[in-house]
Amino acid sequence: MQATVDEGVDWLLWRLVLHRDRRPGTLSEIRQSWSVNDLIDAHMALDAIEDIEANEARKNAPKGR
């Protein structure tokens, strides 16, 4: 990922645009309508959701190996 950052990829935008399950809009929609604070809030929300999902997956994983 560092190489893409070094090349100028804006992960504040692209993480949201490329998210597999929770795409909040197109690149143009996000660029035109979202503030930097909106982007940061969206990332914080995605982080929280992904943490909850990871905890659920660990909780439901088979035990005993």
Side-chain angles (χ1 to χ4, degrees), residues 9-23:
V9 173
D10 185 345
W11 282 104
L12 275 178
L13 290 172
W14 284 103
R15 180 182 181 216
L16 300 176
V17 172
L18 297 174
H19 198 278
R20 66 191 178 285
D21 298 324
R22 295 178 181 84
R23 190 170 302 121

Side-chain angles (χ1 to χ4, degrees), residues 52-64:
I52 290 167
E53 290 172 343
N55 287 335
E56 286 295 313
R58 279 191 293 275
K59 186 172 88 175
N60 295 324
K63 294 175 180 32

Side-chain angles (χ1 to χ4, degrees), residues 26-49:
T26 65
L27 179 60
S28 313
E29 291 168 341
I30 294 170
R31 278 186 171 157
Q32 292 172 8
S33 302
W34 291 44
S35 69
V36 171
N37 287 336
D38 292 337
L39 293 172
I40 292 168
D41 287 348
H43 283 278
M44 290 172 56
L46 275 177
D47 290 343
I49 290 167

